[in-house]
Amino acid sequence: MSSYSIRYADRAVQRKAGLAASQRASLEDLEKRLILNPFGPPAMSNRDNSWSAAFKGGFITYVVSNRHVVINVIDLVAL
């Protein structure tokens, strides 16, 4: 299985830029796991072809293109 690449929508990019250092490190760990398998733990299906996965202090919502081997992050929420 190929590794996926991750692309962030504009709003998610802006929110990612505002994360605290500990949140950013946790998100980077999450990204490393998701590029290997965006459908495995800690991913959760939202039953509408989108997925969510939590990191310390937030979560992302994303859709996956298997044809292009890309994870498109459509939203990032910091808690």
Side-chain angles (χ1 to χ4, degrees), residues 56-79:
K56 181 181 173 185
F59 67 92
I60 59 172
T61 302
Y62 59 94
V63 294
V64 179
S65 169
N66 287 314
R67 182 176 182 195
H68 296 103
V69 195
V70 173
I71 300 167
N72 294 293
V73 177
I74 55 176
D75 202 3
L76 183 152
V77 177
L79 304 174

Side-chain angles (χ1 to χ4, degrees), residues 9-37:
D10 291 342
R11 180 172 62 175
V13 167
Q14 293 169 351
R15 291 179 175 176
K16 183 178 179 181
L19 292 175
S22 63
Q23 289 174 308
R24 182 176 297 272
S26 181
L27 177 58
E28 289 171 359
D29 289 340
L30 174 62
E31 289 172 340
K32 289 175 186 174
R33 287 180 281 167
L34 291 179
I35 62 171
L36 298 176
N37 182 5

Side-chain angles (χ1 to χ4, degrees), residues 38-40 43-46 48-53 60-64:
F39 308 109
M44 295 180 11
S45 172
N46 294 324
D48 65 353
N49 294 328
S50 71
W51 295 77
S52 293
I60 59 172
T61 302
Y62 59 94
V63 294
V64 179

